[in-house]
Amino acid sequence: MDDTRRKFLKKAGYASLGISCALPLLDAKLLAMSEETGTHEAAAKKQLAMVIDIKKCQNKQLVDAAANACHTVHNVPTITDAKGNINKEEEVKWIWTEKFANTFPEQVHARLERSILDEDVVVLCNHCSRPPCVRVCPTQATWKRDTDGIVMMDMHRCIGCRYCMAACPYGARSFNWNEPRKFLEKGRGIVGEYPTRTKGVVEKCTFCADRLSDGLEPACVEAANKVPGGKDALVFGDLSDPNSKVNLILNKKHTICRKVGLGTGPNIYYII
Amino acid sequence: MLEHAFKGSKNYWLLLGFWGIIIAMGAGAYAVQLRDGLTITGMSRDVSWGFYISQFTFMVGVAASAVMVVLPYYLHDHKAFAKTVILGEFVAVPAVLTCMLFIFVDMGQPARVLNVILHPTLHSVMFWDMSVLMGYLVLNLLIGTITLDCERKGKHYPHWLKFFIYLSIPWAVSIHTVTAFLYAGLEGRPFWMTAILAPRFLASAFATGPSLLIILAVIVRKISKFDPGEKAIRTLATIVTYSMLINLFFFLVEAFTSIYSDMPHHLHAFEYMFVGLHENGVTYDVLVPWMRAGMVFSFITGFLMLFPGIRWNLKVVPYVCVFIICGTWIEKGLGLVITGFIPSTLGHITEYVPTAPELMVTFGIYAIGAFVLTVLYKIIIGVRERRAGYGADAQ
Ligand code: SF4
């Protein structure tokens, strides 16, 4: 065996030794990760969540009230085209409805009852436990808040690269393709204190972080509860508190989440 | 050395002027975009990345392919590449430049671009992509200018440069790998989330870049007295052939997994590209003619390059190379990014077609690349011709 080959083999041996030493560390990390994804997460950390009753939300009036309340308090513009129709391609929305089949593609099978397929399901940001949007953001303009698990958005830091839109598996994010204030002025006008955005940034539901700090419920929950028959159509609460309303429902009812197979850990639960 | 960029024939200035006009038009379109926002593009809520990011992806490949001349020359001492290496490095420089510009014009808030550096985020692939691209630009500028300057003075390049030359080899691989990881790490996009994406990117890049080099080398040969050498061009043709075949193989591997497994999410993307999707009686198929043409280009050129009579015929091979570039451009600069968004994560089908201003900005950026390339190549030709004793500038 010539010298260089021997040297090479020796080096290769050390390298593999190094790798095998590192493996237990990797193992530990993987184990930790797989535990995280366990069905019953450690309840220690506060995580805000919402339970949505799909049947109760078939009431169009209720859904409109919830979406309107949200979009009004957050100054979300209604983007229209030259003729005044909704511009679907550039729409900005925080909470809206999608057909059951589009919301829960894995739940759809050929024999599913037609009326269920056509159901309108309320959708919004899932405030995922392992949010891909946060993982990809190059500026930490979107991040998961430690204190309550809300996936926050800093519209002043966002550079508008839209990587988060590519990463979110739920279509929860909207980009301001146009100047939003222009459309607010054309529409309902600028309401209240919530800062309006500039063009070129991404936005989404923040679980009403601003209202929560004032001791209020999210605007959509409050509005839905006021509609006749809307009691508990949307329920909001803390998963780490065993006595919270969301936990009481989750312990009793059959609920599902969107695209659980992806491992993002959504925190919006649906009563089917 | 730089003086060569400022003296030149009428044709040289005409060419620069031509690029300049396109750049000015692109700048005009970009000014409109700055004023009105990205609404002037064809992108939408559903297809939130379009032509800009596609071109970025394609050009990273062109940039990375400089390694295909650097590696044989510096690691394997392939003498035939002695004069070609610099051509490759000086393609990489404008290529990376265009990449960065494509990212820049895609941003909604370009004034905040420094936030990426002010808030470095190690878990974001985009942060890494930006870092490796910057590094690659610096490496190629450094290596290219120093080696050329030493050549002009008739010296050997300094020894310490070897380190950076060797470094540039894995670095080139890294820029395209990291670019693939931008896409391949997204659990919500099944079309992109495939381990073959990075290898596929590299293979198609190593077919595209050397093809471009062949074309450029043949042009340089025609218009100046500097000859990169027939042997070098032949080696490049061999590299193109292997890369093209590997690229096609990777494509088939990907297509097999998606089509044979018959899983709807994987199938839809291929259906959209090659036959079109149908929903509620509407057909969505704007990409279909392009993708089919791209496939025809790629498979036919891949086949043609198998024949030495074509591959090594300097009269024919540049034309084959044009079609190779067209094929890989359609695959990566058109189909790859857009198809990832169709259907959307909510199962909607929104098609994407670039708008006129969007295309103008794109052409403007390509023209900036071409401008820089022209100047750099002019410098190379100037230095080489003087060394060879021709004195005055051609071109
Ligand atoms: S739903 Fe989308 S936007 Fe909301 S946290 Fe999850 S990945 Fe992010």
Side-chain angles (χ1 to χ4, degrees):
Chain A
M1 200 198 257
D2 68 42
D3 214 37
T4 44
R5 251 179 75 206
R6 176 167 315 127
K7 266 194 202 143
F8 173 76
L9 285 177
K10 225 161 122 188
K11 272 191 202 153
Y14 285 138
S16 52
L17 192 71
I19 292 171
S20 49
C21 287
L23 275 181
L25 292 177
L26 189 68
D27 243 27
K29 168 76 182 151
L30 286 177
L31 201 68
M33 276 161 65
S34 65
E35 272 168 3
E36 258 178 59
T37 30
T39 41
H40 284 275
E41 295 197 5
K45 234 181 184 173
K46 185 165 173 182
Q47 171 66 60
L48 295 174
M50 193 183 284
V51 181
I52 296 176
D53 189 322
I54 297 182
K55 288 280 163 340
K56 283 187 187 161
C57 288
Q58 292 315 300
N59 178 352
K60 190 158 180 335
Q61 193 200 344
L62 180 154
V63 175
D64 286 347
N68 264 331
C70 165
H71 293 160
T72 309
V73 296
H74 296 115
N75 282 317
V76 176
T78 309
I79 310 287
T80 47
D81 58 19
K83 288 192 216 101
N85 298 323
I86 301 266
N87 181 346
K88 281 222 177 305
E89 299 210 339
E90 300 192 358
E91 240 180 324
V92 179
K93 44 192 180 185
W94 289 20
I95 177 168
W96 71 101
T97 59
E98 290 284 343
K99 292 285 171 226
F100 184 92
N102 295 335
T103 319
F104 301 104
E106 298 88 347
Q107 306 291 334
V108 175
H109 55 77
R111 301 290 165 139
L112 192 66
E113 232 267 291
R114 183 81 227 180
S115 66
I116 296 183
L117 272 182
D118 284 342
E119 268 177 356
D120 285 314
V121 180
V122 175
V123 294
L124 63 159
C125 168
N126 286 284
H127 297 275
C128 302
S129 296
R130 287 167 298 280
C133 56
V134 170
R135 191 176 72 221
V136 301
C137 177
T139 60
Q140 294 152 56
T142 189
W143 73 98
K144 189 155 178 76
R145 195 154 76 173
D146 257 348
T147 47
D148 52 13
I150 295 182
V151 173
M152 299 288 290
M153 212 29 245
D154 180 347
M155 282 109 169
H156 294 282
R157 191 185 279 192
C158 173
I159 58 171
C161 71
R162 309 190 295 295
Y163 198 5
C164 57
M165 294 177 78
C168 171
Y170 306 99
R173 293 178 161 262
S174 308
F175 181 70
N176 286 287
W177 299 99
N178 217 316
E179 181 58 66
R181 287 163 200 145
K182 207 166 76 188
F183 291 91
L184 280 172
E185 278 152 19
K186 260 203 280 180
R188 69 172 94 79
I190 296 168
V191 181
E193 309 255 282
Y194 201 83
T196 55
R197 273 73 71 193
T198 156
K199 65 174 184 289
V201 297
V202 173
E203 57 182 77
K204 67 165 194 77
C205 155
T206 60
F207 259 173
C208 284
D210 49 312
R211 287 171 53 94
L212 296 179
S213 62
D214 294 341
L216 297 167
E217 286 209 291
C220 57
V221 177
E222 190 185 273
N225 269 312
K226 281 196 197 135
V227 176
K231 181 131 185 34
D232 293 346
L234 310 179
V235 175
F236 182 75
D238 175 12
L239 286 179
S240 69
D241 170 6
N243 298 318
S244 68
K245 210 162 158 191
V246 281
N247 269 329
L248 296 181
I249 299 177
L250 289 173
N251 288 339
K252 262 204 319 259
K253 293 250 163 90
H254 179 185
T255 48
I256 58 173
C257 285
R258 294 169 69 188
K259 299 189 179 175
V260 279
L262 299 179
T264 53
N267 284 304
I268 307 290
Y269 299 83
Y270 292 91
I271 307 174
I272 40 178
Chain B
M1 198 161 79
L2 272 181
E3 73 274 8
H4 293 294
F6 295 105
K7 300 185 300 202
S9 64
K10 202 169 127 208
N11 284 342
Y12 171 64
W13 292 110
L14 274 177
L15 187 60
L16 287 189
F18 176 67
W19 299 135
I21 292 171
I22 303 180
I23 294 171
M25 280 164 56
Y30 184 63
V32 176
Q33 181 183 306
L34 269 186
R35 190 192 65 202
D36 295 349
L38 283 158
T39 178
I40 64 149
T41 68
M43 290 183 271
S44 60
R45 218 188 128 80
D46 283 348
V47 185
S48 48
W49 277 342
F51 220 58
Y52 299 151
I53 295 292
S54 302
Q55 301 321 302
F56 150 77
T57 311
F58 178 74
M59 288 311 285
V60 175
V62 174
S65 61
V67 72
M68 283 291 114
V69 281
V70 172
L71 189 142
Y73 180 62
Y74 288 106
L75 278 191
H76 297 277
D77 203 21
H78 185 73
K79 292 275 187 315
F81 273 174
K83 290 183 188 159
T84 337
V85 167
I86 186 79
L87 295 182
E89 285 158 351
F90 276 1
V91 164
V93 171
V96 183
L97 201 69
T98 51
C99 290
M100 291 177 160
L101 287 171
F102 277 124
I103 297 230
F104 186 76
V105 297
D106 188 67
M107 287 179 16
Q109 281 293 328
R112 299 182 188 164
V113 61
L114 284 181
N115 281 1
V116 181
I117 299 159
L118 294 178
H119 310 284
T121 309
L122 300 189
H123 50 71
S124 170
V125 184
M126 192 161 303
F127 167 75
W128 287 105
D129 210 24
M130 197 150 155
S131 315
V132 290
L133 280 176
M134 289 272 191
Y136 194 65
L137 181 66
V138 173
L139 275 177
N140 277 288
L141 262 180
L142 184 83
I143 299 169
T145 42
I146 293 186
T147 48
L148 191 65
D149 193 46
C150 290
E151 185 185 322
R152 185 177 64 101
K153 294 179 186 139
K155 299 191 302 195
H156 194 269
Y157 57 83
H159 200 67
W160 56 264
L161 196 67
K162 260 260 143 89
F163 170 77
F164 292 101
I165 291 172
Y166 288 154
L167 183 65
S168 78
I169 293 171
W171 205 290
V173 178
S174 86
I175 62 167
H176 218 18
T177 307
V178 175
T179 305
F181 285 177
L182 276 180
Y183 304 103
L186 303 181
E187 60 268 58
R189 309 277 174 187
F191 177 58
W192 295 335
M193 213 193 81
T194 159
I196 199 92
L197 201 68
R200 241 182 99 187
F201 271 23
L202 287 166
S204 76
F206 296 157
T208 317
S211 290
L212 181 65
L213 269 186
I214 291 178
I215 297 172
L216 290 173
V218 170
I219 294 176
V220 164
R221 229 173 156 214
K222 254 227 166 82
I223 59 169
S224 80
K225 300 196 181 65
F226 156 48
D227 182 1
E230 203 159 309
K231 183 141 183 264
I233 297 179
R234 286 185 170 187
T235 312
L236 281 173
T238 310
I239 292 173
V240 170
T241 311
Y242 274 112
S243 306
M244 197 61 198
L245 294 178
I246 296 173
N247 181 35
L248 291 172
F249 171 67
F250 284 169
F251 170 77
L252 292 174
V253 168
E254 176 67 34
F256 170 81
T257 345
S258 299
I259 295 168
Y260 188 77
S261 68
D262 209 19
M263 285 170 76
H265 291 312
H266 293 271
L267 209 57
H268 284 332
F270 280 86
E271 275 174 0
Y272 178 66
M273 285 192 290
F274 294 107
V275 289
L277 290 172
H278 310 273
E279 200 185 53
N280 305 331
V282 188
T283 307
Y284 301 91
D285 59 358
V286 280
L287 274 187
V288 171
W290 289 90
M291 296 312 293
R292 287 189 186 166
M295 273 297 118
V296 171
F297 292 162
S298 294
F299 275 94
I300 291 186
T301 51
F303 180 70
L304 289 178
M305 290 294 272
L306 288 176
F307 301 99
I310 291 174
R311 181 166 74 230
W312 286 339
N313 184 337
L314 292 203
K315 289 221 164 56
V316 182
V317 80
Y319 297 100
V320 181
C321 286
V322 169
F323 283 99
I324 289 182
I325 295 176
C326 291
T328 50
W329 179 80
I330 290 173
E331 186 194 322
K332 214 152 74 182
L334 197 63
L336 181 105
V337 173
I338 298 163
T339 308
F341 292 102
I342 301 171
S344 77
T345 49
L346 280 161
H348 302 305
I349 305 172
T350 308
E351 284 197 296
Y352 163 82
V353 181
T355 59
E358 201 175 359
L359 288 175
M360 272 162 69
V361 172
T362 306
F363 290 141
I365 294 177
Y366 273 128
I368 294 178
F371 188 98
V372 176
L373 183 81
T374 310
V375 171
L376 290 177
Y377 268 48
K378 174 74 177 49
I379 296 176
I380 302 176
I381 292 171
V383 169
R384 291 275 156 83
E385 283 183 339
R386 176 156 310 164
R387 291 277 303 155
Y390 292 108
D393 295 293
Q395 198 196 356

